[in-house]
Amino acid sequence: MARSSSFMDTLLTSPSTERYRVGFSVLFLLCVWLIVGAFSQGLPNNMLLMAAAVIGGYMAINIGANDVANNVGPAVGSGALSLGAAVLLAAVFEAGGAIIAGGDVVSTIKGGIIDPTSLDDPRAFVWLMTAALLAGALWLNMATWMGAPVSTTHSIVGGVLGAGIAAGGWAIADWSVMGRIVASWVISPVLGGILAALFLFAIKKTVLYRQNLVSSARTFVPWLVAIMAWAFGTYLMIKGVSQLVKVTFMQASMIGLAIAVVVFFIMRTLAGRRAATMENSIKGVNALFTWPLIFAAALLSFAHGANDVANAIGPLAAINDAIQAGGGVVTTASIPLWIMLIGAFGLAVGLMLFGPRLIKTVGSEITELDKTRAFCIALSAALTVILASQLGLPVSSTHIAIGGVFGVGFLREYLKSNYATQLHKIMEHHEPAEQERLKPFLDNFRNASVEEMEYLLKQAKKKKAQVPLSKSEHKRLKKIYKEEMVKRSHLFRIAAAWIITVPASALMAAFLFFALRGLMI
């Protein structure tokens, strides 16, 4: 089974299979072109609709390749899911969310960022949305190639803004909405990072730093998983089911609470059974979070498919309705089943062909994740989205998840550095003769994880193994402790990609609008 999983992972990520992945994506887009062309014969501007459908499919592929990594990346990085299993699970639930709960009506002018009624030429609306869709897809493609997870919503927002300004001038934009979007660049990752770090610190204090980890896990893990169940139950109702049935926040919360109660009793029974054979270690506690992480990845994928598929098919639906109406402006658009299917299958195709690269970046290349850390990231993502939706804050699920990964990594860095300082103080008052006795302890401490360091420090205090260090030894020891647990190169690259997402997609969309208008007039 392990060999099969390893083969699947290699197949999904090997550079030698790149041309086949590109070939399959082109084949998918060719099928979209032919199918839409077959049933749109006789419609005015049917060639433009066929082109828009291909661009919508291309956008959906890029959303699948880039955005979905945030839902399953932590589960893969922690070992709860293999890369191949995560790709299949996310593809099924993303497509299911898009088809089942994708919504009957979406606003194609994202967040009201432009006023399309101010356009002089009604045909300009179709050109505008086509340019915005293509620009958003191109930027996502570029970001995925760079290995930077960016917001698909911000990509399409930038596209609509840039093409809108090109079509109707600066006055067409609602700059107050754009101001809130810019604010979300800071709000989203900071909220996600703080919550993830707080939950991880709470788990360390209540479970991982206790001598009897098994007893602590039996007491606290069911409560932690129940909180996650409430968060995801509420999140799913707000972001997914509400697309089908009107649900208030209070109703969503109560349904989430009912789910949490059931999950609590199931988890308490499971933890009780596992306690008899569970290893009294961090590895044993981690095992309790495996299934919660798998469910979290599935639910996040379903809700993402229901919510963010609109970034690909919303503009396409508007173009379709505008063409059907003879070129008029359409600010909201009903979504036919064929458009929903393009979005759903495009997400799945993009995820399976190009998603593994970003999944690996989120799951293992930013910071090392285990199941407790991944659990905290998933929980913070759900809670942050719920909190932001109630406060009316414009946040990005991508930014929240990545902020959670960085928050967990920086907490680990802080704790390790803090424990090193404690060790220096403990060792300052001992005789040089005890250095030989201390050497095995130093070797163990050098290779210890953050959690194991706390245990070793307690043992050092009990045994009073304290030896004064020379200045040179002190400096060498500090170098060992100042281990970088968060890859700064990834931090700077991702932050730069976030900052330029809206301007980059806006500039591309403006250029594409002028090019398209020149071709059509």
Side-chain angles (χ1 to χ4, degrees):
M1 184 69 181
R3 183 178 296 177
S4 173
S5 174
S6 175
F7 172 76
M8 176 68 77
D9 294 356
T10 303
L11 184 65
L12 290 168
T13 58
S14 173
S16 63
T17 61
E18 182 70 22
R19 62 182 181 275
Y20 297 111
R21 294 197 289 270
V22 172
F24 276 119
S25 61
V26 171
L27 181 62
F28 168 74
L29 295 177
L30 179 62
C31 290
V32 170
W33 171 273
L34 294 174
I35 292 170
V36 174
F39 70 74
S40 65
Q41 282 185 352
L43 282 177
N45 294 315
N46 77 309
M47 291 293 289
L48 183 57
L49 180 60
M50 291 162 64
V54 170
I55 295 170
Y58 176 52
M59 179 65 168
I61 287 174
N62 282 288
I63 292 174
N66 193 289
D67 218 20
V68 179
N70 311 305
N71 303 327
V72 297
V76 172
S78 67
L81 283 169
S82 69
L83 181 59
V87 166
L88 291 176
L89 179 141
V92 170
F93 279 88
E94 285 279 342
I99 294 171
I100 296 169
D104 296 321
V105 177
V106 292
S107 173
T108 59
I109 310 301
K110 290 303 247 181
I113 58 175
I114 65 168
D115 177 16
T117 58
S118 63
L119 294 173
D120 295 330
D121 186 351
R123 296 174 300 172
F125 178 75
V126 174
W127 305 335
L128 183 161
M129 297 310 296
T130 304
L133 195 55
L134 181 55
L138 287 170
W139 170 247
L140 281 176
N141 201 160
M142 192 179 302
T144 303
W145 176 77
M146 293 188 298
V150 298
S151 169
T152 57
T153 302
H154 288 180
S155 300
I156 196 66
V157 162
V160 172
L161 176 69
I165 291 173
W170 293 94
I172 198 173
D174 188 333
W175 294 106
S176 63
V177 172
M178 287 307 304
R180 292 199 296 274
I181 291 170
V182 171
S184 77
W185 294 343
V186 177
I187 294 168
S188 300
V190 169
L191 273 176
I194 290 173
L195 279 178
L198 286 175
F199 277 113
L200 182 59
F201 189 73
I203 291 175
K204 289 179 184 294
K205 285 295 184 183
T206 57
V207 180
L208 300 181
Y209 289 168
R210 302 293 179 91
Q211 276 195 325
N212 192 337
L213 273 72
V214 174
S215 176
S216 300
R218 285 185 64 181
T219 303
F220 292 105
V221 169
W223 288 102
L224 291 167
V225 177
I227 292 171
M228 174 183 259
W230 174 84
F232 275 106
T234 306
Y235 177 89
L236 196 61
M237 295 300 296
I238 292 173
K239 304 297 283 185
V241 177
S242 62
Q243 303 286 348
L244 295 175
V245 182
K246 183 67 176 175
V247 179
T248 66
F249 176 72
M250 184 57 68
Q251 290 171 330
S253 298
M254 295 307 295
I255 292 170
L257 182 60
I259 295 170
V261 171
V262 173
V263 169
F264 172 80
F265 286 108
I266 293 173
M267 202 65 202
R268 190 170 70 170
T269 303
L270 179 62
R273 288 176 182 172
R274 292 289 300 273
T277 57
M278 194 170 78
E279 182 181 333
N280 187 40
S281 66
I282 295 165
K283 183 179 179 182
V285 174
N286 265 314
L288 292 174
F289 290 103
T290 300
W291 279 105
L293 275 173
I294 293 172
F295 279 106
L299 292 174
L300 274 173
S301 297
F302 184 89
H304 179 270
N307 192 59
D308 279 27
V309 71
N311 292 328
I313 64 173
L316 174 57
I319 293 167
N320 175 60
D321 275 19
I323 289 174
Q324 299 276 3
V329 172
V330 180
T331 56
T332 60
S334 59
I335 303 183
L337 180 61
W338 67 269
I339 293 181
M340 292 297 301
L341 291 174
I342 288 175
F345 284 111
L347 285 176
V349 168
L351 170 64
M352 290 189 290
L353 296 180
F354 305 106
R357 182 176 181 180
L358 266 294
I359 290 173
K360 290 184 72 175
T361 296
V362 174
S364 59
E365 294 178 1
I366 296 174
T367 192
E368 183 184 343
L369 295 178
D370 61 14
K371 293 182 179 68
T372 53
R373 296 167 200 154
F375 173 86
C376 295
I377 293 164
L379 180 54
S380 75
L383 287 175
T384 304
V385 169
I386 292 169
L387 177 64
S389 66
Q390 293 312 298
L391 296 176
L393 298 174
V395 294
S396 161
S397 59
T398 301
H399 291 188
I400 292 167
I402 301 300
V405 175
F406 280 116
V408 162
F410 283 124
L411 176 67
R412 294 176 64 223
E413 273 192 16
Y414 167 76
L415 291 177
K416 191 156 189 175
S417 175
N418 190 44
Y419 296 153
T421 304
Q422 292 179 41
L423 184 65
H424 300 156
K425 291 178 180 177
I426 290 171
M427 293 181 177
E428 277 173 0
H429 307 292
H430 280 255
E431 299 297 326
E434 296 178 353
Q435 288 187 6
E436 232 11 78
R437 188 177 157 199
L438 178 62
K439 188 175 183 301
F441 173 81
L442 280 174
D443 291 339
N444 288 335
F445 195 83
R446 184 182 294 111
N447 299 316
S449 68
V450 175
E451 293 81 7
E452 291 165 342
M453 289 175 74
E454 175 72 11
Y455 175 75
L456 290 172
L457 285 173
K458 289 178 180 177
Q459 292 297 105
K461 287 181 181 179
K462 287 179 183 178
K463 295 176 181 178
K464 299 183 179 179
Q466 303 172 9
V467 177
L469 302 170
S470 66
K471 285 185 178 180
S472 61
E473 288 172 334
H474 190 84
K475 287 179 181 178
R476 281 199 300 271
L477 202 56
K478 271 193 170 180
K479 281 185 181 178
I480 295 169
Y481 299 145
K482 287 188 175 179
E483 178 186 347
E484 231 181 50
M485 293 188 173
V486 176
K487 299 284 180 63
R488 266 48 174 191
S489 58
H490 285 293
L491 173 62
F492 296 139
R493 187 176 74 245
I494 291 170
W498 287 355
I499 291 169
I500 65 173
T501 288
V502 170
S505 56
L507 285 172
M508 281 194 284
F511 173 79
L512 289 168
F513 172 81
F514 287 125
L516 187 59
R517 187 180 66 175
L519 288 171
M520 300 302 293
I521 292 179

